[in-house]
Amino acid sequence: MKYDFTAIENKWQSKWLQQQPYGAVTGDSTREKFMGLIEFPYPSGQGLHVGHARPFTAMDIICRKKRMEGYNVLFPIGFDAFGLPTENYAIKNHIHPAIVTRDNIANFTKQLHMLGYSFDWDRVVDTTDPGYYKWTQWIFLQLFKKGLAYKASMPVNWCTSCKCVLANEEVVEGVCERCGSDVVRKEKSQWMLKITEYADRLIDDLDDLDYIERVKIQQRNWIGRSEGTEVDFTATNGDKMTVYTTRCDTLFGVTYMVLSPEHPYLKQWKDIIENWDEAEAYIKEAARKSDLERTELNKEKSGVRLQGIEAVHPVSGKKLPIFISDYVLMGYGTGIVMGVPGHDQRDWDFATAFGLPIIEVVSGGDITKEAFVLKDDTGIMVNSDFLNGMTVKDAIPAMKNWVTEKGIGRPKTNFKLRDWVFSRQRYWGEPIPLVWCDKCGWVPLDEKELPLLLPEVDSYEVTDDGESPLSKMTDWVNTTCPHCGGPAKRETDTMPQWAGSCWYFLRYMDPHNDQALASKEAIDYWGPVDWYNGGMEHTTLHLLYSRFWHKFLYDIGVVPTKEPYAKRTSHGMILGEGGEKMSKSRGNVVNPNDIVDQYGADTMRLYIMFVGDFEKAAIWSTEAVKGSKRFLDRIWNFVENATDSDEITPANESILHKTIKKVTQDIETLKFNTAIAAMMALVNEFGSNGASRGDLKILMRLLSPFAPHIAEECWEILGGEGQVSQQSWPQYDESKTVDAEVQIAIQVNGKLRSTATVPAGSPDDVLAEAAKADEKIKKYLESGTLVKTIVVKGKLVNLIIK
RNA sequence: GCCGGUGUGGCGGAAUUGGCAGACGCAAGGGACUUAAAAUCCCUCGAUGGCAACAUCGUACCGGUUCGAGACCGGUCACCGGCACCA
């Protein structure tokens, strides 16, 4: 009989649908718990693609193995369903986004069943379900009550096409991450979350986490902690001009000061600044430029020197010219920079462009050619008063202490991380549960009022002035103040797509709870997530945001752990046949449905894991899928013709133990490709030795996490008890993984000249003798003198002959 | 520019972390079975030379350490990802 994958897969999938065998049991103290997490998908209209199948299959394999090892496994799935594509589709087709979402989720669910994933289907979450976003809103209210959510008017990233603000993390190379349109700075009043308050903890707590190193590095770089010094300069009108510097040792090298064009001093100084027209024109020009233009022009330094005001050096008392220039960012440090052209290349470029003096305060470079920027802190201070003769390394703390004692400065830590712009001018997101009252200011809704439901609107389109579609719903907007009962207006912006995913793993632990986001017992039992695998692209977005929210929930006593995820790994992308990213426009997208139709889900699963190193990008090849199918065909054939014995075939014993060992270890280290290769090698060996039912039953247990349907079917054919997925994970006996005889390499002067077979565990001198006795080696021995013999146990003998 | 990562047959990729380079698979070639094809099974498959046993070369490039280097060290190049005027 042929391997009829369609019939087999349908049979087992409908059985699983009925039995729901993968339910997790909260509170089971008889077994160790394991929570394996994948990033829940955004249910797009295109459905599941092979890019999902890779991480999903991987975690499914891990969880299936953990179950067989006796763990109480929670492997949940859900849908991160708020977001722009759904809203845009809804606008275009005049369908409510909730209906679009429902249909897409139904399609995804079907596809996930089709691939045989062992999710706990009783715990599905949907971020757009009011029963879910009630708690997203609840967490937001707690953030608000603790002062971590605030509304501020500031220059924000504005996508010209989405007509919506973007978080810093959503701007990639000056354009919108989602649509690729230009991003400009726009002054807008926005809800912000104080993630910066957690910056230190977000960095420091990484040390104890089992995250792959590149994730930690990327988060550290993104948060960008820098230790430096603030120094107070003064303006001639008496205003304090505080700067931030990491090189306070160069204080005597300052020849000018620069303000960011957005600096509030500029408006204050309007009447003092004699060339205000010129300054104002520059400020306006800077505001008009998109981020892209601003960085593209970074070779040519531009700026305006302010007339009528100067700065005073805090030590020398010298007058210094003040400039405005867009190379100084308002969002970092103090928005004012001390210009040290001798030792900072940007300052050097600026000073050169404006003909400003360049003073050398660290010797060792040629400051007439370029700034001398130290990398190893070993330069010697010159022209620097009491610092002269010191190394830079010593001068930095010396100056830091000195300015602190004099009261003109202080140590300061800065971060690149900015607060999180949290509001979006969009319909399809969680409503922000706050109202504005002219008397009371921003007032939170009573928690009993949650969820604050999204109202029905006539149009989902943003207004041209960039207001949320909700702003037009006057019935909804106009409300009463929960505090004073007077007239009030609701916030009409919604939360960003990232909100719902910040805490979804907690909801999985207790998804039907209507009293709390999850019960304490459930959180205590399941948390933290034992293993979270996801894409690198979320490292400085979702992963960082959810660590932030979790730390906040820890602070208010909702969760017992500081960190949400104990372990984080990451998979590589699946590229199209030509080695390029899969995309609709390139037409190289592979639809898993087609592969399943043609070869079956088990082949699909096997291939996506066999395609290459899980952590690296891999190129899809529909041609190569056949190899995985052939492997399953061969297994099917062996099962149908199994030798009539439940014993292990002696000739297969050693390779069986080796394969168990290899597969067991490789799953833990994400080496699925070599685990499958090992099983293929085993089946090749069956080709020479034949395979008994006993041999094949072991293979089925190893195979079942990878290819669960065929493994169940074969288990049944082989007369196994129950289902193979309910069996224990096979154990290997180390002593049986060793062959009786091993082949060793014989080298002469480091070059392979022969091989020999010796009994396993032979002592060194036996190996040496075997090597010397080898027929092929004799001529080398005769050609010179043996001066040294190197023996590596069980591996090789190297004869040094001169 | 800065921070990561990668570079191995025609292709995807292995290599116990310093010990037989190319496991496993795809493609290709040859053979068996078949009226034929597909499927399946068997063999070959880094390069060069040789009838052959075998020899020489070979893991991006140059150099080094070592009895021995794909792996370690120094330098160079290429590609991929992230950040990018962060003072």
Side-chain angles (χ1 to χ4, degrees):
Chain A
M1 207 170 68
K2 225 181 121 215
Y3 161 44
D4 183 352
F5 54 83
T6 309
I8 292 168
E9 288 169 7
N10 287 340
K11 168 180 163 185
W12 289 100
Q13 280 168 19
S14 55
K15 212 166 255 201
W16 295 331
L17 212 53
Q18 253 173 32
Q19 300 175 342
Q20 293 296 330
Y22 305 117
V25 187
T26 299
D28 182 348
S29 59
T30 63
R31 295 178 289 168
E32 235 183 291
K33 67 94 183 178
F34 177 86
M35 181 167 177
L37 189 65
I38 51 170
E39 288 172 338
F40 62 163
Y42 174 74
S44 72
Q46 286 91 53
L48 206 69
H49 59 83
V50 291
H52 291 110
R54 194 182 207 196
F56 290 9
T57 307
M59 191 52 75
D60 190 46
I61 291 167
I62 291 164
C63 287
R64 283 174 176 276
K65 169 167 171 277
K66 288 278 179 193
R67 278 191 207 100
M68 293 174 77
E69 287 173 332
Y71 286 82
N72 181 22
V73 171
L74 173 51
F75 182 40
I77 185 71
F79 300 97
D80 189 13
F82 276 128
L84 265 183
T86 302
E87 184 167 334
N88 290 338
Y89 184 89
I91 291 169
K92 207 169 152 192
N93 299 286
H94 307 287
I95 309 173
H96 194 283
I99 300 198
V100 179
T101 298
R102 190 196 62 199
D103 292 348
N104 288 349
I105 287 178
N107 183 39
F108 264 70
T109 302
K110 203 171 130 199
Q111 287 183 297
L112 292 167
H113 280 300
M114 170 189 85
L115 286 165
Y117 295 132
S118 63
F119 296 124
D120 181 343
W121 288 101
D122 188 40
R123 294 172 186 259
V124 176
V125 305
D126 165 5
T127 55
T128 67
D129 177 352
Y132 181 92
Y133 71 68
K134 170 181 178 176
W135 299 105
T136 311
Q137 291 173 333
W138 181 86
I139 297 170
F140 178 83
L141 282 187
Q142 310 312 309
L143 285 160
F144 177 78
K145 287 173 186 172
K146 294 285 175 188
L148 291 167
Y150 63 97
K151 197 158 197 184
S153 185
M154 56 167 55
V156 293
N157 306 302
W158 175 262
C159 174
T160 47
S161 161
C162 302
K163 292 180 185 166
C164 185
V165 302
L166 300 175
N168 259 341
E169 289 81 356
E170 292 170 306
V171 182
V172 178
E173 285 170 12
V175 303
C176 174
E177 177 206 46
R178 200 162 272 292
C179 71
S181 308
D182 269 3
V183 171
V184 296
R185 311 224 131 241
K186 189 165 175 164
E187 183 86 8
K188 226 174 164 359
S189 181
Q190 296 296 312
W191 283 102
M192 309 286 292
L193 295 187
K194 271 193 201 165
I195 190 171
T196 52
E197 195 133 300
Y198 284 76
D200 268 316
R201 288 163 66 188
L202 286 168
I203 283 195
D204 293 338
D205 293 349
L206 282 173
D207 292 344
D208 301 324
L209 291 173
D210 183 14
Y211 284 16
I212 50 170
E213 207 51 35
R214 55 197 168 121
V215 168
K216 290 189 184 184
I217 289 167
Q218 215 166 295
Q219 287 208 348
R220 284 194 196 106
N221 289 347
W222 181 262
I223 297 167
R225 180 159 62 193
S226 114
E227 314 276 356
T229 311
E230 277 186 356
V231 182
D232 301 329
F233 289 65
T234 346
T236 45
N237 71 341
D239 281 342
K240 195 191 260 187
M241 294 179 71
T242 303
V243 301
Y244 172 77
T245 177
T246 53
R247 291 291 305 277
C248 61
D249 57 302
T250 62
L251 192 60
F252 292 101
V254 178
T255 58
Y256 65 97
M257 305 287 284
V258 197
L259 268 69
S260 162
E262 290 104 15
H263 201 285
Y265 270 175
L266 294 169
K267 275 178 198 153
Q268 291 177 36
W269 294 351
K270 189 176 169 181
D271 297 332
I272 312 171
I273 298 169
E274 290 160 10
N275 56 338
W276 175 248
D277 288 350
E278 194 190 350
E280 192 181 29
Y282 186 82
I283 294 165
K284 283 189 173 154
E285 180 65 14
R288 196 200 52 80
K289 281 182 196 168
S290 71
D291 279 13
L292 197 61
E293 285 174 298
R294 238 167 123 150
T295 48
E296 260 178 3
L297 295 170
N298 78 24
K299 289 225 167 75
E300 297 259 321
K301 291 279 182 286
S302 65
V304 171
R305 178 174 178 164
L306 303 183
Q307 305 294 340
I309 188 162
E310 285 180 300
V312 181
H313 192 284
V315 183
S316 68
K318 269 191 212 153
K319 298 270 174 65
L320 304 164
I322 302 176
F323 288 80
I324 52 174
S325 174
D326 64 5
Y327 87 89
V328 176
L329 310 172
M330 194 56 226
Y332 187 77
T334 62
I336 308 177
V337 163
M338 63 180 205
V340 186
H343 305 285
D344 181 289
Q345 191 56 45
R346 293 156 308 184
D347 294 348
W348 192 94
D349 294 341
F350 189 82
T352 306
F354 285 84
L356 297 161
I358 300 173
I359 302 174
E360 180 178 64
V361 289
V362 182
S363 62
D366 181 358
I367 60 162
T368 62
K369 294 210 176 78
E370 59 176 3
F372 178 48
V373 185
L374 278 178
K375 299 219 167 90
D376 56 5
D377 295 351
T378 53
I380 301 298
M381 304 304 300
V382 293
N383 299 322
S384 290
D385 203 303
F386 61 94
L387 296 176
N388 285 341
M390 283 189 194
T391 62
V392 169
K393 204 177 176 172
D394 294 335
I396 291 176
M399 181 56 103
K400 195 180 278 190
N401 288 336
W402 191 81
V403 294
T404 308
E405 276 167 28
K406 292 275 171 189
I408 56 169
R410 62 213 66 86
K412 170 82 179 171
T413 303
N414 261 325
F415 298 92
K416 286 188 201 174
L417 186 72
R418 315 288 166 83
D419 277 343
W420 177 8
V421 181
F422 196 69
S423 36
R424 298 291 183 275
Q425 294 68 46
R426 281 286 165 175
Y427 175 76
W428 197 230
E430 300 89 345
I432 292 175
L434 296 174
V435 301
W436 172 259
C437 170
D438 284 336
K439 255 190 261 170
C440 311
W442 285 108
V443 181
L445 288 193
D446 194 307
E447 286 173 19
K448 288 193 215 84
E449 303 288 316
L450 300 182
L452 172 60
L453 295 173
L454 265 175
E456 296 291 324
V457 296
D458 301 328
S459 158
Y460 311 113
E461 308 235 20
V462 275
T463 62
D464 285 333
D465 57 353
E467 289 304 316
S468 159
L470 294 178
S471 64
K472 286 172 285 186
M473 302 304 298
T474 45
D475 286 357
W476 184 80
V477 171
N478 291 315
T479 182
T480 51
C481 172
H483 192 243
C484 71
K489 283 184 189 307
R490 291 189 197 279
E491 171 60 58
T492 59
D493 284 358
T494 54
M495 299 188 200
Q497 153 124 67
W498 311 105
S501 59
C502 279
W503 68 281
Y504 73 114
F505 54 93
L506 294 172
R507 191 63 178 170
Y508 284 143
M509 298 173 186
D510 190 12
H512 309 297
N513 195 324
D514 56 4
Q515 301 301 309
L517 55 86
S519 73
K520 193 176 177 319
E521 299 75 57
I523 297 173
D524 285 350
Y525 182 78
W526 288 113
V529 171
D530 294 275
W531 190 339
Y532 190 17
N533 181 80
M536 281 308 286
E537 70 275 18
H538 291 129
T539 301
T540 54
L541 288 157
H542 157 67
L543 192 67
L544 193 63
Y545 293 151
S546 64
R547 288 184 62 224
F548 160 46
W549 275 38
H550 195 84
K551 285 181 180 304
F552 169 71
L553 292 174
Y554 172 76
D555 289 348
I556 62 168
V558 174
V559 297
T561 58
K562 282 191 246 179
E563 287 284 339
Y565 320 116
K567 175 173 181 163
R568 170 78 177 188
T569 54
S570 202
H571 54 273
M573 235 191 307
I574 298 285
L575 303 171
E577 301 257 4
E580 289 175 307
K581 216 169 164 168
M582 281 192 191
S583 70
K584 264 199 290 187
S585 56
R586 288 197 186 88
N588 59 355
V589 178
V590 176
N591 184 344
N593 290 30
D594 299 340
I595 306 299
V596 171
D597 285 349
Q598 201 177 345
Y599 298 103
D602 283 334
T603 294
M604 169 75 201
R605 292 170 58 111
L606 218 44
Y607 175 70
I608 200 79
M609 290 294 103
F610 186 63
V611 67
D613 184 335
F614 181 69
E615 305 199 61
K616 293 184 194 136
I619 297 170
W620 177 272
S621 163
T622 300
E623 193 64 29
V625 174
K626 284 180 195 162
S628 300
K629 173 63 165 45
R630 280 185 199 141
F631 172 55
L632 294 181
D633 283 334
R634 296 190 71 196
I635 288 176
W636 183 258
N637 199 37
F638 278 110
V639 168
E640 288 204 310
N641 301 296
T643 325
D644 181 23
S645 163
D646 284 315
E647 301 297 311
I648 286 172
T649 308
N652 288 332
E653 186 176 44
S654 151
I655 189 164
L656 272 166
H657 282 271
K658 281 184 198 163
T659 309
I660 296 169
K661 182 179 179 180
K662 180 82 180 143
V663 174
T664 305
Q665 292 174 348
D666 281 356
I667 291 176
E668 287 303 318
T669 51
L670 298 170
K671 303 281 180 211
F672 305 104
N673 52 339
T674 49
I676 293 166
M679 288 188 280
M680 288 172 166
L682 174 68
V683 172
N684 289 346
E685 193 70 14
F686 287 168
S688 339
N689 301 339
S692 67
R693 282 199 307 268
D695 300 334
L696 288 160
K697 277 182 177 170
I698 290 177
L699 173 61
M700 287 316 132
R701 288 195 278 162
L702 292 177
L703 183 69
S704 72
F706 295 85
H709 313 86
I710 191 175
E712 287 299 353
E713 186 69 18
C714 291
W715 184 257
E716 196 174 85
I717 294 169
L718 292 164
E721 274 181 46
Q723 292 182 13
V724 68
S725 55
Q726 296 160 343
Q727 306 305 308
S728 64
W729 186 250
Q731 301 296 305
Y732 61 91
D733 181 341
E734 185 68 46
S735 68
K736 288 181 179 159
T737 63
V738 185
D739 291 308
E741 292 192 315
V742 290
Q743 202 182 47
I744 59 159
I746 305 172
Q747 296 182 339
V748 175
N749 297 333
K751 287 196 174 179
L752 180 74
R753 295 301 179 190
S754 184
T755 57
T757 305
V758 296
S762 300
D764 288 3
D765 53 328
V766 173
L767 296 188
E769 285 317 307
K772 286 178 210 162
D774 189 277
E775 240 352 91
K776 289 176 194 161
I777 297 304
K778 275 188 179 158
K779 60 177 176 188
Y780 294 102
L781 284 168
E782 283 159 10
S783 68
T785 341
L786 178 68
V787 293
K788 200 175 173 188
T789 306
I790 293 156
V791 179
V792 182
K793 229 179 195 32
K795 289 266 159 64
L796 61 71
V797 177
N798 189 6
L799 304 169
I800 312 304
I801 297 169
K802 283 196 172 152

